[in-house]
Amino acid sequence: MIDYRFVIFFIVFGCIVPAKAADLPSKASEHVPSVVAEMGHVKISAVEFDAFKRQLDPEIRVQLEKDVPLQKKLAQDAIIKKFLIDQARSVGFDKKSDVREQMDRTAEQSLLAQYIADQVKLAPDFPSEAEIKNLYEKNKEVLRQPDKVRVAQIFLDAPMDADETIKKKARAQIYQLFKEVVAAPKKFGDVAKQKSDHQESAAKGGDMGLVSLNQLIPELLPVVSSLQPNEISSPVQSGGGWHILKLLEVQKGEIVPLSAVKMSLTNALRRQTMQKKEQEFLQYVVTKTPPTINIK
C-alpha cells in the first residue's frame, strides 16, 4: 500500500528561465499585466511568469490561479531572486573558479535528472480512472477526516508564569473538585457552572461544543483520546491552567470523497510509479554495461 499522506504544499522557487515562444500565457492568466514584477532594471514579463508557473506541480497551479495574494508572493520571490542573480553576474561572481565549478556540477545534475526523467516518462493519461479508484479504496482510512468530540471541562486559570502561590492554590483546588465530580458524576455540569474559570463553557455546564480532535490543545489531545463516553479525566495541566475533562460524545470522522482528493491521488501514483521506473532503468543500465571499479 502506498504510504500516502495529505498533501502539504511547499513551493520551492526555482530560477526564472527565459520563456520559449510556445510558452504563451494561459487564459487564466489574462488578467496579469505585461510586466508582472520589476526591481531596479530587472523585470519579469507575463510570458516569463506564466512559463515559470508551468514548472510547478499541477495541483499547486490550480490553487495559484485562485489565490491572488499567493501569486503576488510568488512574483515577489521570483523578482528578488532574478535581481540577485543579475547582481551576481554584473560583478563577475559567476566567473569565480569555485563558483564556476559548483555551477557546472549543478548543470550536470540537472542534465542527469532531465535525462533519466525522459527515459522513464509516463503517458499523459496515466493513471487510469480504475487505478485511481483502486488506490482510493485501499486508502480510505488514511483519507478519513479527524474524529469530532464533544467535551465538557472544569478549568482553573493558572498560567505557567503565574505566582507560585496562585499555582499551588489552583492545583489544590482542582484536585478537590476532581474528588467531588468523581463522587457525583451527574453534578459535573453544576460544578463547572459554579467553579470553572472558562466563562463561555462554564455557562453551558462546561460543554465546549463539537470540535475536531486536532483542534484540541496538545496537552488535552491524548487525554481526550483515551476517554470513553461519560468518563471523567484526572486533572491535566496545560500552559493556561488546570482542566478536568468529561467526554460527552464522539463522532467518527467522515471519509473524504474521491472527487476531493482525485488530483492528489493522481500525483501520488505518478510519483510512486516514476520512482519505480527510475530504479528499473538504473538497474537496466548497470546490467547492460556493468561498471568496473578499480579501487584496491
Side-chain angles (χ1 to χ4, degrees):
M1 182 180 293
I2 184 170
D3 182 15
Y4 181 79
R5 298 290 184 271
F6 264 162
V7 179
I8 302 177
F9 299 119
F10 294 96
I11 299 180
V12 180
F13 298 107
C15 296
I16 292 292
V17 296
K20 300 176 183 178
D23 290 328
L24 298 176
S26 63
K27 290 184 178 180
S29 303
E30 288 178 351
H31 65 282
V32 178
S34 58
V35 175
V36 173
E38 50 190 311
M39 191 171 179
H41 68 278
V42 178
K43 298 179 180 181
I44 294 177
S45 69
V47 174
E48 278 183 295
F49 191 58
D50 196 70
F52 179 46
K53 288 190 291 183
R54 291 174 188 272
Q55 301 172 39
L56 302 176
D57 184 280
E59 196 162 355
I60 296 176
R61 291 204 303 269
V62 171
Q63 292 299 115
L64 191 65
E65 295 301 335
K66 302 175 183 177
D67 193 334
V68 174
L70 185 58
Q71 290 187 47
K72 291 181 178 179
K73 180 66 168 60
L74 179 65
Q76 176 178 297
D77 288 352
I79 191 63
I80 291 173
K81 180 166 290 188
K82 188 174 182 181
F83 177 79
L84 291 175
I85 290 172
D86 180 77
Q87 278 201 333
R89 286 177 173 155
S90 69
V91 297
F93 191 77
D94 57 327
K95 300 298 191 296
K96 294 177 64 176
S97 59
D98 56 335
V99 175
R100 184 76 257 168
E101 289 175 6
Q102 180 61 40
M103 289 174 64
D104 290 342
R105 283 195 295 271
T106 302
E108 287 183 349
Q109 292 170 359
S110 179
L111 173 63
L112 175 62
Q114 293 292 333
Y115 176 69
I116 292 177
D118 183 72
Q119 300 302 305
V120 300
K121 60 186 175 184
L122 304 174
D125 59 351
F126 176 84
S128 66
E129 293 291 328
E131 288 169 314
I132 296 171
K133 186 174 181 179
N134 182 53
L135 179 61
Y136 174 77
E137 293 296 332
K138 287 182 177 180
N139 289 274
K140 273 188 175 181
E141 287 305 312
V142 178
L143 299 170
R144 187 181 292 278
Q145 294 176 337
D147 290 349
K148 290 185 177 181
V149 292
R150 219 174 100 238
V151 180
Q153 71 166 349
I154 298 170
F155 173 72
L156 295 185
D157 189 17
M160 290 294 186
D161 58 355
D163 183 81
E164 285 299 320
T165 302
I166 295 176
K167 291 195 288 186
K168 287 181 179 179
K169 181 181 178 181
R171 187 180 188 282
Q173 187 180 3
I174 200 73
Y175 275 92
Q176 180 58 43
L177 295 176
F178 175 63
K179 290 179 182 179
E180 290 182 27
V181 294
V182 168
K186 292 184 179 180
K187 293 185 177 181
F188 188 99
D190 293 333
V191 174
K193 286 181 179 180
Q194 297 167 11
K195 302 293 185 180
S196 180
D197 290 333
H198 188 262
Q199 296 182 358
E200 184 178 350
S201 61
K204 304 172 185 176
D207 193 342
M208 294 190 289
L210 198 64
V211 297
S212 293
L213 270 175
N214 58 6
Q215 290 181 306
L216 295 173
I217 61 176
E219 295 92 340
L220 304 188
L221 177 57
V223 178
V224 173
S225 298
S226 67
L227 293 177
Q228 296 297 317
N230 295 315
E231 185 179 1
I232 297 172
S233 77
S234 299
V236 55
Q237 189 176 23
S238 71
W242 286 92
H243 309 254
I244 301 173
L245 305 170
K246 182 178 182 180
L247 181 61
L248 303 177
E249 179 186 356
V250 178
Q251 287 187 9
K252 193 70 174 175
E254 296 180 354
I255 293 177
V256 178
L258 174 58
S259 58
V261 293
K262 184 177 180 180
M263 186 175 291
S264 296
L265 293 177
T266 298
N267 292 337
L269 263 177
R270 288 184 68 86
R271 283 193 296 270
Q272 183 191 48
T273 305
M274 280 285 289
Q275 290 169 359
K276 181 180 178 182
K277 291 188 69 171
E278 284 176 8
Q279 292 301 315
E280 292 173 349
F281 173 69
L282 293 175
Q283 186 59 49
Y284 164 76
V285 171
V286 170
T287 302
K288 184 178 180 181
T289 311
T292 300
I293 310 301
N294 297 319
I295 298 175
K296 295 182 180 179

